[in-house]
Amino acid sequence: MFEKLTEFLESINTVLYYPLLIILLLCIGLYFTFKTKFIQIRFLKESISVVLEKPQEEGAVSSFEALMVSTASRVGSGNIVGISTAICLGGYGAVFWMWIVAIIGGASAFIESTLAQIYKKKDKDGTSYGGPAYYIEEGLKSRKLGVIFAVSLILTYAIGFNMLASFNLQTSFMTYDFYNPKKTPFIIGLTLALVTSICIFGGGKRIIKFTSTLVPFMGVIYIIVALIMMVVNISYIPTVFKNIFEDAFNFRAIFGALASSSMMYGIKRGLYSNEAGIGSAPNAAASANISHPVKQGLVQMLSVFIDTLIICTATAFMCLSSGIEPTEALSGAPYVQESLSTFFGSFGNYFISLSLVLFTFTTLIGNLFYVDSNLFYINNKKKPSDKFMLIFRIFAVFVILLGAMSEVKLAWDISDLLMGIMALINLPSILFLSKKAIACLKDYEKQKTEGKDPKFKSKNIGMTENLDYWN
């Protein structure tokens, strides 16, 4: 049964998802890059300063806090297992195409998060919320398309990404002697499901606070470990760069087998990791309390760079500088663990397992935050009944358990397909609405040149819609 389902999903992805995704990601991302005059480079320093700003109202969500929510979802197993998988199955060149997706995707992330701020809604308690479903309905005047997007996001994050995160975590235990392929995945999946259930059913505030403090610390330690590996193997770094660029521009190999090429794996795993343009981060971006929508657009652009150009690159060079040849058999966590063990010994295995435990947990919580926001949207922007939420959360917890016991190709194929559906809806939507985001950017730049702390009024860019904010 699973083999037939995997073949079916793979055929859909190969024929429909891969070609369309490449065209949309690269073409729309390049369009935004040129229209914003390379905002990824021009405003990189500005994005860092904006992150440190305090919210307009005391107790409101700051840009930094919104960044942490989106980064918690972005920085996860994809930064470790996803990059390893891309290199092992696609080749060295996947790293280059991962960089390209991040650099180009930074402009898409800016546009989508700026739009989320423009069209954000005000809750009864004064907080804000929103995301692609909301700007699709308000900007494109299509609630049906908004609902379709919301459903695709719920399926992607509650099923696809959460199954995959759980699966990726259990693969890191394959290297240990106690690993039993029939029992260990169930035990790990059950443990992860139980801890997640404690948080989503209440009573998990201490756990969330603990991990939100520890994960950034672990992220820094992770980068330091990667740097140590690179310094130790510094003589091999030129060869790593040579292999990356030679494989990235081997177009005969790329177009000879597009679905399994370094280009495709770099794009797929890069997108899975940084999520730029697929419409997830705007759900967190809309919650920030700021003076101008562009500020949060810049913050989310920075999040893409943190995720891919720093953490994913750390994983790639940690592995490639070790001298361990990437193979399909090592695909996933085992390749990273094998690479680290060349210098750190058994500590490398424990370190990757611990990193994955923490990153996976925060990813699951961040993913379910996005899901809740879109469940509210489908239910006419109101919280669904307690009974419905109880049933849904039980289902979400069961999916985490199921993911740990799934097949590797099935887990990736489901995630790729669902993520592709989101991108196919969100990317054209932000393209049609981009004039408002770009006008918003020009307004921000104008105020900056006048020496002001930019404050946004919708009338300044000719918007006549009755918005909850910015009027």
Side-chain angles (χ1 to χ4, degrees):
M1 176 182 172
F2 285 123
E3 288 183 4
K4 290 184 178 179
L5 180 58
T6 300
E7 290 176 5
F8 173 70
L9 290 174
E10 195 167 356
S11 64
I12 292 176
N13 287 341
T14 303
V15 175
L16 176 66
Y17 169 76
Y18 297 152
L20 282 177
L21 188 61
I22 286 179
I23 294 169
L24 282 175
L25 270 178
L26 299 184
C27 292
I28 293 178
L30 283 171
Y31 173 77
F32 290 151
T33 297
F34 287 113
K35 289 296 289 185
T36 59
K37 300 176 182 177
F38 291 84
I39 191 170
Q40 307 97 309
I41 299 170
R42 291 194 304 122
F43 274 63
L44 183 57
K45 184 179 178 181
E46 175 76 3
S47 68
I48 297 171
S49 64
V50 166
V51 167
L52 303 177
E53 289 187 7
K54 294 182 179 180
Q56 296 291 296
E57 298 176 14
E58 190 175 344
V61 177
S62 67
S63 288
F64 178 77
E65 288 170 327
L67 171 67
M68 286 300 99
V69 172
S70 60
T71 304
S73 178
R74 281 190 173 114
V75 177
S77 60
N79 298 82
I80 301 175
V81 179
I83 303 311
S84 167
T85 301
I87 295 170
C88 288
L89 301 184
Y92 294 93
V95 179
F96 173 81
W97 293 107
M98 175 189 74
W99 290 336
I100 294 299
V101 168
I103 294 169
I104 294 175
S108 300
F110 167 79
I111 295 291
E112 65 180 357
S113 293
T114 300
L115 287 171
Q117 269 289 322
I118 292 174
Y119 288 104
K120 67 181 180 180
K121 311 297 289 183
K122 183 177 287 187
D123 206 349
K124 293 177 182 178
D125 61 2
T127 59
S128 61
Y129 63 93
Y134 297 88
Y135 60 63
I136 288 172
E137 179 178 345
E138 297 291 328
L140 298 180
K141 310 300 180 187
S142 176
R143 175 164 171 79
K144 286 183 179 179
L145 186 59
V147 169
I148 293 172
F149 177 84
V151 170
S152 69
L153 183 143
I154 292 166
L155 293 175
T156 301
Y157 282 83
I159 298 177
F161 283 4
N162 277 4
M163 279 184 68
L164 189 55
S166 180
F167 172 82
N168 286 338
L169 173 61
Q170 72 89 9
T171 63
S172 71
F173 289 86
M174 289 180 175
T175 188
Y176 302 116
D177 293 335
F178 64 77
Y179 187 87
N180 182 318
K182 293 183 179 179
K183 296 179 181 179
T184 309
F186 174 78
I187 295 171
I188 293 171
L190 181 63
T191 303
L192 186 59
L194 288 174
V195 175
T196 304
S197 67
I198 292 172
C199 294
I200 64 176
F201 286 114
K205 289 185 178 180
R206 288 184 181 178
I207 296 176
I208 295 172
K209 187 175 182 180
F210 173 74
T211 53
S212 65
T213 302
L214 187 59
V215 167
F217 174 74
M218 280 297 300
V220 172
I221 297 297
Y222 186 80
I223 293 168
I224 291 173
V225 169
L227 288 173
I228 292 172
M229 280 291 294
M230 291 167 64
V231 170
V232 169
N233 300 298
I234 192 71
S235 62
Y236 196 65
I237 296 298
T239 304
V240 171
F241 275 106
K242 177 174 174 288
N243 290 338
I244 288 173
F245 286 104
E246 280 186 354
D247 190 47
F249 293 101
N250 185 353
F251 291 111
R252 178 177 294 180
I254 288 172
F255 293 109
L258 181 63
S260 59
S261 68
S262 63
M263 175 189 282
M264 184 49 60
Y265 270 103
I267 290 173
K268 286 193 301 180
R269 299 291 78 87
L271 181 60
Y272 168 68
S273 177
N274 65 53
E275 303 176 13
I278 72 172
S280 55
N283 293 275
S287 66
N289 181 260
I290 51 176
S291 65
H292 202 290
V294 163
K295 290 184 177 182
Q296 199 57 33
L298 293 173
V299 168
Q300 296 304 329
M301 179 186 78
L302 180 64
S303 179
V304 171
F305 292 163
I306 291 172
D307 175 272
T308 305
L309 298 184
I310 297 179
I311 300 179
C312 288
T313 299
T315 297
F317 276 76
M318 181 163 50
C319 293
L320 296 177
S321 66
S322 69
I324 300 293
E325 192 68 23
T327 63
E328 187 173 350
L330 287 174
S331 175
Y335 179 46
V336 189
Q337 291 172 314
E338 187 81 11
S339 299
L340 273 184
S341 67
T342 59
F343 180 72
F344 291 101
S346 60
F347 169 78
N349 294 337
Y350 302 138
F351 177 74
I352 293 301
S353 294
L354 177 61
S355 299
L356 277 173
V357 166
L358 293 170
F359 290 161
T360 298
F361 175 70
T362 52
T363 294
L364 294 173
I365 300 301
N367 288 351
L368 292 174
F369 171 84
Y370 292 159
V371 168
D372 282 358
S373 175
N374 283 269
L375 284 172
F376 294 173
Y377 173 80
I378 293 172
N379 195 43
N380 292 313
K381 306 176 184 66
K382 295 182 293 185
K383 182 180 178 180
S385 69
D386 291 341
K387 183 178 179 181
F388 174 85
M389 292 303 294
L390 175 64
I391 294 171
F392 179 81
R393 283 171 176 160
I394 291 173
F395 168 76
V397 169
F398 176 73
V399 164
I400 293 170
L401 171 61
L402 187 65
M405 300 184 292
S406 64
E407 299 285 334
V408 58
K409 281 192 66 62
L410 179 61
W412 280 111
D413 285 339
I414 289 174
S415 296
D416 282 345
L417 179 63
L418 294 173
M419 178 178 66
I421 293 170
M422 280 182 64
L424 291 175
I425 297 172
N426 186 60
L427 285 168
S429 296
I430 62 175
L431 178 62
F432 284 117
L433 293 170
S434 61
K435 285 185 178 180
K436 293 172 183 176
I438 293 168
C440 198
L441 173 60
K442 290 178 180 177
D443 176 69
Y444 183 86
E445 290 184 274
K446 179 176 178 293
Q447 293 187 54
K448 287 293 288 186
T449 56
E450 294 170 354
K452 301 176 182 177
D453 176 19
K455 291 180 172 51
F456 183 65
K457 295 290 183 184
S458 58
K459 63 181 180 181
N460 292 346
I461 63 169
M463 289 187 67
T464 58
E465 291 101 324
N466 184 27
L467 305 173
D468 282 20
Y469 293 85
W470 318 120
N471 290 322

